[in-house]
């Protein structure tokens, strides 16, 4: 059954933490948000994980939404986009330190080998 509700009503019911409103939100906005997140992370599985996190943030933070600052969709898009960017930065950060640790280990082995071979 297809039905449409106004953004104002949707926001009102979301702020009351109505599960039906959240299901409606998820059903009607998932695809659009998924497309944006997927362009950022380039992995379907990761995009879906990020969207789960983003929808939880939206659900918990909907009371912070103010219609004077933009539409509900733009606010949700911002939440999803920021969640994706944070995840990418986190993964890059972890990767950097994993790579950095390996490089340090190689340098230590090289130094050890140099000292051992020259003495």
């Amino acid at each position: 059954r297809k039905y449409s509700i106004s953004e104002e009503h949707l926001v009102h019911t979301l702020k009351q933490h109505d599960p039906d409103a959240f299901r409606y939100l998820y059903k009607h906005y998932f695809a659009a948000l998924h497309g944006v997140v997927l362009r950022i992370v380039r992995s379907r599985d990761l995009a879906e994980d990020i969207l789960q996190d983003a929808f939880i943030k939206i659900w918990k933070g909907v009371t912070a939404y103010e219609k004077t600052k933009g539409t509900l969709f733009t606010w949700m898009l911002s939440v999803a986009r920021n969640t994706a960017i944070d995840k990418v930065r986190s993964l890059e950060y972890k990767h950097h330190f994993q790579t950095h640790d390996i490089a340090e280990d190689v340098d230590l082995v090289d130094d050890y080998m140099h000292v051992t071979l020259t003495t």
Side-chain angles (χ1 to χ4, degrees):
R1 171 179 151 210
K2 271 192 160 181
Y3 65 96
S4 181
I5 60 175
S6 72
E7 182 174 291
E8 186 175 330
H9 180 71
L10 179 59
V11 169
H12 175 74
T13 54
L14 284 169
K15 287 184 176 185
Q16 294 178 341
H17 288 93
D18 180 330
D20 290 332
F22 186 74
R23 277 190 282 279
Y24 179 91
L25 182 83
Y26 190 87
K27 180 180 178 185
H28 287 84
Y29 292 94
F30 179 86
L33 296 177
H34 185 267
V36 171
V37 170
L38 186 57
R39 280 194 295 268
I40 294 169
V41 300
R42 303 193 187 285
S43 160
R44 284 199 184 281
D45 291 339
L46 186 55
E48 288 178 13
D49 289 346
I50 289 168
L51 272 179
Q52 293 300 320
D53 292 344
F55 271 104
I56 290 169
K57 288 179 183 180
I58 290 165
W59 175 250
K60 290 181 175 180
V62 73
T63 54
Y65 166 72
E66 296 177 28
K67 73 177 184 177
T68 58
K69 294 183 179 180
T71 66
L72 177 63
F73 178 72
T74 12
W75 177 75
M76 291 180 7
L77 185 61
S78 177
V79 171
R81 184 177 174 276
N82 290 340
T83 303
I85 290 169
D86 289 348
K87 185 66 169 182
V88 167
R89 286 180 180 157
S90 171
L91 292 172
E92 287 174 354
Y93 180 81
K94 287 177 186 174
H95 176 71
H96 169 75
F97 279 100
Q98 287 173 348
T99 305
H100 183 69
D101 290 344
I102 291 169
E104 284 180 1
D105 291 344
V106 169
D107 289 343
L108 287 173
V109 170
D110 285 347
D111 289 346
Y112 176 76
M113 293 301 290
H114 178 69
V115 169
T116 305
L117 294 174
T118 57
T119 53

